[in-house]
C-alpha cells in the first residue's frame, strides 16, 4: 500500500496485491486501525471516502491498483469511537540483534524464525519479552509482520511470521485447514510399548487453572485431538527420542498426549510431575523442539524449513548417545502430502469426528460387538489398533498398517452354489421343493 500526504490532509492510498478483494472496512482495520468503524461509516455516508473517485460503503470490496480517498482526522486518538494505537517503544540494540540472529528464512511473504526456549510468543500478565514485541525489526518501513501460529514459551523451534496482511490470511487458512505439516522432536521418559502409533484423546481446559492447563476429557466437552508419534532411538528403558506430529492444533497437545500414555516429555513438570525429570546431568528444561514446518507458500511452492536444536537438547542427545542424523532419514508415515492426500486426510478426519459425535458405531450382526468393544479393536483390521491397559482407559495407539490382503479374505464360502445346476431344478431352490407351478408337458421340457 502506498499513500500520499499526511493525516492532516486528504490522502490517496493505492490498494496493494495483498489487499485485493477484501472489504473496505477490513482494509481500514489493516492499514488505519486507529480509525473506528463508526467513523468509517460516517465518512462513507457523507461521501468522504471514495474508491477511484466514486462513493464507497464499508462493505464494498477493493481491488488491486484502485485508489482509496481518506479524509483527515485519524490522528486524533479515539475519534468517532475508534481506539488509539498505543505507541510502541523503539527496539534496543540487543533486541534488534536477537531478532536478526533467529531468522531462518525470509522472503516478501514469510519470515521463519527459530524461537529460543524461554521466549514467549506473545505478551501477557508479567510477560514483557516476547516474539510479538520483536516484529517491528522485520517491518523495514512496510506493514508490521503478523504471527499466524504459536509455540509454548518453553518450546523451541520453527515459528512462521507473515510478512504482509495478505500472506497472514493465506497462511492462517493453511493452519486452520490442517494442511500445514509440523514435525517436532522430543525426549520422553521411558519407551512406548509400540514404536509408532496414533494417540487419539480429546482435550479440554482443566477447571480452576485459568485456561493455563489442559487435560484429557472424553466427555462431550472434550475437543477431538490426535497426535502421531514415532520412536527414533532409545537409551535402554530410561528414555527415548521421538518424532511427533500434531494432526490437530490444541493447546499443549503433544505434552498432554505423551503424559497421558505414561511417557511425559523430559522437563515437562507441568504435566509429568517429578517423573518428567531424569537424574544425572540431563537438563531440566523442556525437551520439545519444533523441528520442521512444511506449508504451502502464496507463490504456490512448498515452504519447507528446519530449525537446529537448542543447546540443551543438543547436549542431551549427545550425552544419551543419539546422533541427530538418525532423525533425518526416518520415513514419513503419511507419505508425500499432495493435493489428493490432503483431501483424503481431511475427509478421514471429518469422518472420524462424525463417528465420535454420533455415538455407537455400527457393528456387524454376526459379531455382536458392544460399543466398548468397538473402541478396543476392529475385527476387520486385527493389526490396526492396539490398546495397553496400563495406559488408562480411552488411550489408543495405532500400529503401522501392513500391506497385502486382509486375513481370511476369500475364505468365506459363497452363499450361492457355483457348480452347474441340475436339470429340472429351478435356480436357488433345493431339490424336492415345490416350485408353485405345474410341470411342463413332457414334450416341452
Amino acid at each position: 500500500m502506498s499513500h500520499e500526504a499526511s493525516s492532516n490532509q486528504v490522502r490517496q492510498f493505492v490498494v496493494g496485491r495483498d489487499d485485493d478483494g477484501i472489504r473496505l472496512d477490513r482494509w481500514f482495520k489493516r492499514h488505519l486501525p486507529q480509525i473506528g468503524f463508526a467513523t468509517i461509516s460516517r465518512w462513507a455516508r457523507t461521501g468522504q471516502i471514495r474508491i477511484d473517485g466514486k462513493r464507497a460503503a464499508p462493505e464494498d470490496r477493493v481491488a488491486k491498483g484502485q485508489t482509496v480517498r481518506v479524509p483527515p482526522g485519524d490522528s486524533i486518538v479515539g475519534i468517532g469511537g475508534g481506539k488509539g494505537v498505543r505507541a510502541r517503544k523503539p527496539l534496543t540494540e540487543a533486541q534488534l540483534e536477537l531478532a536478526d540472529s533467529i531468522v531462518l528464512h525470509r522472503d516478501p511473504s514469510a519470515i521463519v524464525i527459530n524461537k529460543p526456549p524461554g521466549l514467549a510468543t506473545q505478551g501477557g500478565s508479567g510477560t514483557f519479552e516476547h516474539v510479538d514485541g520483536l516484529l517491528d525489526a522485520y517491518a523495514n518501513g512496510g506493514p508490521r509482520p503478523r504471527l499466524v501460529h504459536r509455540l509454548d514459551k518453553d518450546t523451541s523451534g520453527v515459528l512462521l511470521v507473515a510478512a504482509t496482511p495478505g500472506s497472514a490470511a493465506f497462511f492462517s487458512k493453511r493452519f486452520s485447514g490442517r494442511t500445514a505439516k509440523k514435525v517436532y522432536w522430543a525426549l520422553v521418559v521411558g519407551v512406548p510399548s509400540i514404536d509408532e502409533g496414533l494417540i487419539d484423546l480429546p482435550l479440554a481446559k482443566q477447571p480452576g487453572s485459568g485456561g493455563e492447563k489442559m487435560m484429557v476429557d472424553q466427555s462431550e466437552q472434550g475437543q477431538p485431538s490426535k497426535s502421531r508419534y514415532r520412536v527414533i532411538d532409545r537409551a535402554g528403558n530410561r528414555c527415548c527420542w521421538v518424532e511427533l506430529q500434531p494432526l490437530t492444533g490444541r493447546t499443549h497437545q503433544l505434552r498432554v498426549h505423551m503424559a497421558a500414555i505414561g511417557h511425559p516429555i523430559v522437563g515437562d513438570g507441568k504435566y509429568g510431575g517429578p517423573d518428567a525429570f531424569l537424574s544425572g546431568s540431563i537438563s531440566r528444561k523442556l525437551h520439545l523442539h519444533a523441528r520442521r514446518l512444511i506449508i504451502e507458500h502464496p507463490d504456490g511452492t512448498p515452504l519447507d524449513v528446519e530449525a537446529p536444536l537448542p543447546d540443551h537438547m543438543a547436549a542431551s542427545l549427545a550425552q544419551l548417545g543419539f546422533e541427530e542424523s538418525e532423525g533425518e532419514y526416518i520415513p514419513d508415515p503419511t507419505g508425500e502430502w499432495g493435493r489428493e492426500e490432503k483431501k483424503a486426510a481431511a475427509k478421514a478426519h471429518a469422518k472420524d469426528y462424525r463417528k465420535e459425535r454420533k455415538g455407537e458405531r455400527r457393528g456387524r450382526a454376526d459379531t455382536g460387538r458392544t460399543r466398548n468393544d468397538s473402541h478396543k479393536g476392529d475385527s476387520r483390521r486385527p493389526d490396526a489398533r492396539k490398546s495397553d491397559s496400563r495406559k488408562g482407559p480411552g488411550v489408543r495407539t495405532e500400529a503401522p498398517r501392513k500391506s497385502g490382503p486382509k486375513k481370511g479374505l476369500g475364505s468365506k464360502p459363497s452363499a450361492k452354489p457355483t457348480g452347474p445346476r441340475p436339470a429340472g431344478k429351478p435356480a436357488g431352490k433345493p431339490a424336492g421343493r415345490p416350485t408353485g407351478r405345474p410341470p411342463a408337458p413332457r414334450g416341452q421340457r
Side-chain angles (χ1 to χ4, degrees):
M1 177 191 70
S2 60
H3 62 90
E4 301 175 357
S6 68
S7 61
N8 295 323
Q9 303 174 0
V10 173
R11 290 154 296 165
Q12 305 287 336
F13 295 86
V14 178
V15 178
R17 181 187 63 181
D18 288 336
D19 299 323
D20 185 39
I22 67 170
R23 286 169 52 114
L24 180 61
D25 54 354
R26 181 65 180 172
W27 180 90
F28 270 93
K29 187 175 182 179
R30 284 184 178 182
H31 302 288
L32 298 171
Q34 66 270 32
I35 302 178
F37 183 78
T39 302
I40 297 171
S41 300
R42 175 168 56 82
W43 284 349
R45 287 196 307 270
T46 56
Q48 298 183 68
I49 299 178
R50 294 179 177 267
I51 299 178
D52 285 347
K54 299 179 181 179
R55 297 177 64 134
E59 64 273 14
D60 290 345
R61 296 188 179 274
V62 298
K64 175 185 176 182
Q66 288 184 329
T67 301
V68 180
R69 177 192 184 275
V70 179
D74 62 76
S75 60
I76 303 176
V77 176
I79 184 172
K83 296 181 179 180
V85 176
R86 180 182 298 177
R88 298 182 183 274
K89 295 181 179 179
L91 298 178
T92 64
E93 288 296 327
Q95 289 175 320
L96 291 173
E97 290 179 4
L98 173 62
D100 183 65
S101 66
I102 60 178
V103 173
L104 297 173
H105 168 87
R106 185 168 186 176
D107 61 51
S109 298
I111 304 166
V112 185
I113 66 173
N114 184 12
K115 189 186 83 64
L119 180 64
T121 303
Q122 287 184 300
S125 178
T127 302
F128 305 102
E129 296 292 333
H130 44 80
V131 175
D132 189 50
L134 300 176
L135 297 185
D136 286 330
Y138 308 127
N140 292 336
R144 190 174 190 270
R146 305 184 181 194
L147 295 167
V148 290
H149 70 123
R150 295 167 179 80
L151 292 176
D152 296 345
K153 179 179 179 180
D154 295 323
T155 302
S156 59
V158 179
L159 184 67
L160 175 63
V161 178
T164 65
S167 61
F170 181 90
F171 289 129
S172 296
K173 288 181 180 179
R174 271 63 193 170
F175 279 106
S176 62
R178 309 301 178 203
T179 60
K181 181 177 177 182
K182 295 173 283 185
V183 178
Y184 290 74
W185 281 358
L187 288 181
V188 301
V189 177
V191 181
S193 58
I194 301 176
D195 285 343
E196 55 184 277
L198 180 71
I199 305 172
D200 185 359
L201 289 171
L203 302 180
K205 292 181 179 180
Q206 181 172 304
S209 65
E212 294 296 326
K213 192 172 183 180
M214 305 293 286
M215 67 176 187
V216 174
D217 185 356
Q218 302 199 51
S219 69
E220 293 296 323
Q221 303 300 321
Q223 294 181 309
S225 306
K226 296 183 180 181
S227 303
R228 187 179 297 279
Y229 76 89
R230 184 189 301 107
V231 176
I232 299 175
D233 201 354
R234 55 188 292 174
N237 294 324
R238 182 187 184 193
C239 72
C240 67
W241 172 21
V242 296
E243 177 185 284
L244 303 172
Q245 294 184 34
L247 305 184
T248 51
R250 312 302 176 200
T251 302
H252 299 170
Q253 176 177 315
L254 297 177
R255 298 166 63 181
V256 181
H257 274 175
M258 294 311 296
I261 66 172
H263 302 285
I265 296 175
V266 174
D268 188 10
K270 187 170 191 173
Y271 292 103
D275 295 336
F277 301 95
L278 298 179
S279 59
S281 58
I282 298 296
S283 173
R284 294 179 63 86
K285 293 182 179 179
L286 182 68
H287 287 65
L288 179 62
H289 177 68
R291 173 65 175 179
R292 185 178 181 186
L293 174 67
I294 306 174
I295 190 171
E296 184 182 0
H297 192 275
D299 63 10
T301 62
L303 178 62
D304 187 347
V305 184
E306 290 186 353
L309 289 171
D311 292 340
H312 76 280
M313 277 194 69
S316 296
L317 261 65
Q319 184 173 345
L320 293 168
F322 299 145
E323 297 287 342
E324 287 191 34
S325 58
E326 297 175 3
E328 304 296 344
Y329 303 104
I330 293 181
D332 182 1
T334 57
E336 295 296 331
W337 279 32
R339 182 179 299 273
E340 295 303 323
E341 287 77 11
K342 292 175 182 178
K343 289 182 179 179
K347 288 181 180 179
H349 176 71
K351 185 177 180 181
D352 290 342
Y353 179 80
R354 289 194 299 268
K355 283 183 178 180
E356 291 170 359
R357 291 300 182 187
K358 187 176 181 180
E360 184 177 352
R361 298 175 60 184
R362 182 180 301 174
R364 288 187 175 181
D366 58 348
T367 60
R369 293 181 301 165
T370 63
R371 180 181 180 183
N372 290 335
D373 292 334
S374 68
H375 285 296
K376 292 179 181 178
D378 192 330
S379 61
R380 293 169 293 177
R381 277 175 50 206
D383 64 328
R385 291 180 180 175
K386 300 180 181 179
S387 63
D388 190 340
S389 59
R390 297 171 299 174
K391 297 173 184 176
V395 180
R396 298 184 300 165
T397 54
E398 182 175 291
R401 297 186 180 182
K402 297 180 180 180
S403 59
K406 297 179 182 178
K407 184 177 180 181
L409 184 64
S411 61
K412 186 176 180 180
S414 174
K416 295 183 179 181
T418 58
R421 178 163 44 92
K425 295 180 181 179
K429 299 291 182 178
R433 182 177 296 178
T435 62
R437 59 183 178 182
R442 184 180 299 272
Q444 298 180 10
R445 291 184 182 178

